[in-house]
Short mmCIF file of all heavy atoms in Angstrom, two decimals:
data_model
loop_
_atom_site.label_atom_id
_atom_site.label_comp_id
_atom_site.label_asym_id
_atom_site.label_seq_id
_atom_site.Cartn_x
_atom_site.Cartn_y
_atom_site.Cartn_z
N ASN Y 1 122.83 111.17 100.22
CA ASN Y 1 123.37 112.41 99.73
C ASN Y 1 124.34 112.18 98.49
O ASN Y 1 125.32 112.96 98.26
CB ASN Y 1 124.16 113.26 100.73
CG ASN Y 1 123.17 113.72 101.87
OD1 ASN Y 1 122.12 114.30 101.49
ND2 ASN Y 1 123.52 113.63 103.14
N TYR Y 2 124.04 111.08 97.75
CA TYR Y 2 124.81 110.97 96.48
C TYR Y 2 124.25 111.55 95.33
O TYR Y 2 124.84 111.80 94.26
CB TYR Y 2 124.98 109.40 96.18
CG TYR Y 2 125.84 108.63 97.27
CD1 TYR Y 2 125.37 107.57 97.82
CD2 TYR Y 2 127.11 109.03 97.50
CE1 TYR Y 2 126.05 106.82 98.73
CE2 TYR Y 2 127.82 108.40 98.35
CZ TYR Y 2 127.43 107.29 99.02
OH TYR Y 2 128.11 106.65 99.96
N THR Y 3 123.08 112.04 95.53
CA THR Y 3 122.27 112.85 94.41
C THR Y 3 121.26 113.74 95.12
O THR Y 3 120.80 113.54 96.12
CB THR Y 3 121.59 111.86 93.52
OG1 THR Y 3 120.91 112.60 92.45
CG2 THR Y 3 120.51 111.04 94.18
N GLN Y 4 120.90 114.81 94.29
CA GLN Y 4 119.84 115.70 94.78
C GLN Y 4 118.55 115.34 94.22
O GLN Y 4 117.60 116.12 94.50
CB GLN Y 4 120.28 117.19 94.42
CG GLN Y 4 121.62 117.63 94.92
CD GLN Y 4 121.52 117.71 96.57
OE1 GLN Y 4 120.59 118.19 97.09
NE2 GLN Y 4 122.55 117.10 97.16
N LYS Y 5 118.45 114.37 93.37
CA LYS Y 5 117.19 113.97 92.78
C LYS Y 5 116.56 112.72 93.45
O LYS Y 5 117.21 111.71 93.59
CB LYS Y 5 117.43 113.59 91.31
CG LYS Y 5 118.04 114.63 90.44
CD LYS Y 5 118.28 114.21 89.09
CE LYS Y 5 118.93 115.22 88.23
NZ LYS Y 5 119.24 114.78 86.81
N GLU Y 6 115.48 112.96 94.02
CA GLU Y 6 114.77 111.96 94.69
C GLU Y 6 113.74 111.23 93.80
O GLU Y 6 113.00 112.01 93.08
CB GLU Y 6 114.07 112.45 96.01
CG GLU Y 6 113.50 111.35 96.87
CD GLU Y 6 112.85 111.88 98.11
OE1 GLU Y 6 112.65 113.06 98.20
OE2 GLU Y 6 112.81 111.13 99.10
N HIS Y 7 113.51 109.95 93.87
CA HIS Y 7 112.66 109.23 92.98
C HIS Y 7 111.30 109.74 93.24
O HIS Y 7 110.77 110.01 94.31
CB HIS Y 7 112.65 107.75 93.28
CG HIS Y 7 112.19 106.88 92.12
ND1 HIS Y 7 110.78 106.77 92.00
CD2 HIS Y 7 112.79 106.11 91.17
CE1 HIS Y 7 110.59 105.95 90.97
NE2 HIS Y 7 111.76 105.58 90.44
N THR Y 8 110.56 109.98 92.00
CA THR Y 8 109.25 110.51 92.04
C THR Y 8 108.22 109.78 92.91
O THR Y 8 107.43 110.36 93.77
CB THR Y 8 108.60 110.60 90.60
OG1 THR Y 8 109.52 111.26 89.74
CG2 THR Y 8 107.23 111.26 90.65
N GLU Y 9 108.32 108.50 92.96
CA GLU Y 9 107.33 107.64 93.76
C GLU Y 9 107.46 107.84 95.17
O GLU Y 9 106.48 107.61 96.06
CB GLU Y 9 107.50 106.16 93.42
CG GLU Y 9 107.10 105.79 92.01
CD GLU Y 9 107.14 104.29 91.73
OE1 GLU Y 9 107.55 103.45 92.73
OE2 GLU Y 9 106.92 103.84 90.62
N VAL Y 10 108.67 108.23 95.62
CA VAL Y 10 108.80 108.40 97.17
C VAL Y 10 109.28 109.79 97.55
O VAL Y 10 109.63 110.05 98.63
CB VAL Y 10 109.97 107.51 97.57
CG1 VAL Y 10 109.51 106.00 97.42
CG2 VAL Y 10 111.26 107.65 96.87
N LYS Y 11 109.14 110.66 96.54
CA LYS Y 11 109.59 112.04 96.74
C LYS Y 11 108.83 112.69 97.98
O LYS Y 11 107.57 112.74 97.98
CB LYS Y 11 109.43 112.88 95.45
CG LYS Y 11 110.12 114.30 95.54
CD LYS Y 11 110.05 114.95 94.16
CE LYS Y 11 110.86 116.19 94.27
NZ LYS Y 11 110.84 116.97 92.94
N ASN Y 12 109.57 113.33 98.74
CA ASN Y 12 109.01 114.13 99.95
C ASN Y 12 108.17 113.34 100.91
O ASN Y 12 107.29 113.78 101.61
CB ASN Y 12 108.22 115.29 99.42
CG ASN Y 12 109.06 116.30 98.70
OD1 ASN Y 12 110.16 116.59 99.09
ND2 ASN Y 12 108.39 116.92 97.66
N TRP Y 13 108.50 111.96 101.00
CA TRP Y 13 107.70 111.17 101.90
C TRP Y 13 107.84 111.52 103.37
O TRP Y 13 106.92 111.34 104.17
CB TRP Y 13 108.13 109.76 101.72
CG TRP Y 13 109.54 109.38 102.23
CD1 TRP Y 13 110.61 109.37 101.43
CD2 TRP Y 13 109.86 109.02 103.54
NE1 TRP Y 13 111.68 109.04 102.19
CE2 TRP Y 13 111.35 108.82 103.45
CE3 TRP Y 13 109.32 108.91 104.73
CZ2 TRP Y 13 112.07 108.53 104.56
CZ3 TRP Y 13 109.97 108.55 105.83
CH2 TRP Y 13 111.43 108.35 105.86
N GLU Y 14 109.00 112.21 103.67
CA GLU Y 14 109.27 112.53 105.13
C GLU Y 14 108.29 113.72 105.50
O GLU Y 14 108.26 113.98 106.71
CB GLU Y 14 110.74 113.01 105.28
CG GLU Y 14 111.68 111.82 105.15
CD GLU Y 14 113.13 112.26 105.53
OE1 GLU Y 14 113.77 112.76 104.56
OE2 GLU Y 14 113.54 111.99 106.53
N TYR Y 15 107.68 114.42 104.58
CA TYR Y 15 106.74 115.44 104.85
C TYR Y 15 105.30 114.98 104.89
O TYR Y 15 104.44 115.85 104.93
CB TYR Y 15 106.95 116.61 103.92
CG TYR Y 15 108.36 117.23 103.97
CD1 TYR Y 15 109.35 116.71 103.11
CD2 TYR Y 15 108.77 118.05 105.04
CE1 TYR Y 15 110.66 117.26 103.13
CE2 TYR Y 15 110.08 118.63 105.08
CZ TYR Y 15 111.01 118.16 104.08
OH TYR Y 15 112.24 118.61 104.21
N ASN Y 16 105.07 113.72 104.63
CA ASN Y 16 103.69 113.13 104.66
C ASN Y 16 103.59 112.04 105.66
O ASN Y 16 104.08 110.95 105.48
CB ASN Y 16 103.46 112.69 103.26
CG ASN Y 16 102.08 112.01 103.13
OD1 ASN Y 16 101.24 112.10 104.00
ND2 ASN Y 16 101.82 111.31 101.97
N ILE Y 17 102.96 112.41 106.80
CA ILE Y 17 102.77 111.38 108.00
C ILE Y 17 101.94 110.18 107.57
O ILE Y 17 102.06 109.15 108.17
CB ILE Y 17 102.32 112.05 109.24
CG1 ILE Y 17 100.85 112.57 108.98
CG2 ILE Y 17 103.14 113.12 109.65
CD1 ILE Y 17 100.24 113.03 110.23
N ASP Y 18 101.21 110.30 106.39
CA ASP Y 18 100.40 109.12 105.94
C ASP Y 18 101.08 108.28 104.87
O ASP Y 18 100.56 107.33 104.42
CB ASP Y 18 99.06 109.72 105.41
CG ASP Y 18 98.25 110.36 106.53
OD1 ASP Y 18 98.22 109.70 107.58
OD2 ASP Y 18 97.64 111.27 106.27
N SER Y 19 102.33 108.64 104.57
CA SER Y 19 103.03 107.80 103.61
C SER Y 19 103.49 106.48 104.15
O SER Y 19 103.74 106.34 105.36
CB SER Y 19 104.30 108.60 103.07
OG SER Y 19 105.18 108.69 104.12
N PRO Y 20 103.54 105.42 103.21
CA PRO Y 20 103.95 104.05 103.70
C PRO Y 20 105.32 104.18 104.29
O PRO Y 20 105.62 103.44 105.25
CB PRO Y 20 103.93 103.32 102.45
CG PRO Y 20 102.97 104.02 101.55
CD PRO Y 20 103.21 105.45 101.86
N GLN Y 21 106.25 105.01 103.76
CA GLN Y 21 107.52 105.06 104.18
C GLN Y 21 107.67 105.58 105.61
O GLN Y 21 108.45 105.12 106.42
CB GLN Y 21 108.44 105.95 103.32
CG GLN Y 21 108.66 105.45 101.91
CD GLN Y 21 107.55 105.60 101.00
OE1 GLN Y 21 106.53 106.25 101.31
NE2 GLN Y 21 107.51 104.91 99.86
N MET Y 22 106.69 106.54 105.97
CA MET Y 22 106.69 107.11 107.39
C MET Y 22 106.30 105.99 108.28
O MET Y 22 106.91 105.89 109.39
CB MET Y 22 105.71 108.34 107.37
CG MET Y 22 105.58 108.91 108.75
SD MET Y 22 107.00 109.87 109.22
CE MET Y 22 106.81 111.36 108.13
N ARG Y 23 105.31 105.26 107.95
CA ARG Y 23 104.80 104.12 108.70
C ARG Y 23 105.96 103.11 109.01
O ARG Y 23 106.17 102.60 110.06
CB ARG Y 23 103.63 103.46 108.14
CG ARG Y 23 103.05 102.12 108.88
CD ARG Y 23 101.90 101.60 108.32
NE ARG Y 23 102.11 101.23 106.86
CZ ARG Y 23 102.79 100.16 106.38
NH1 ARG Y 23 103.24 99.26 107.34
NH2 ARG Y 23 102.93 99.89 105.17
N MET Y 24 106.66 102.74 107.93
CA MET Y 24 107.74 101.79 108.01
C MET Y 24 108.91 102.35 108.77
O MET Y 24 109.57 101.57 109.53
CB MET Y 24 108.14 101.38 106.56
CG MET Y 24 107.15 100.65 105.78
SD MET Y 24 107.66 100.10 104.17
CE MET Y 24 108.48 98.61 104.66
#
């Protein structure tokens, strides 16, 4: 929460169950 801008490459990964970040 230091910024409201999320990097484009990982933006909204928490809403995508197939994202690599979700798996990790």
Side-chain angles (χ1 to χ4, degrees):
N1 295 317
Y2 291 127
T3 180
Q4 297 300 313
K5 299 177 182 179
E6 189 174 18
H7 197 281
T8 305
E9 291 184 4
V10 296
K11 190 172 185 178
N12 295 326
W13 67 266
E14 289 185 281
Y15 300 96
N16 179 8
I17 61 172
D18 294 320
S19 67
Q21 291 80 12
M22 180 71 73
R23 175 180 56 79
M24 297 184 78

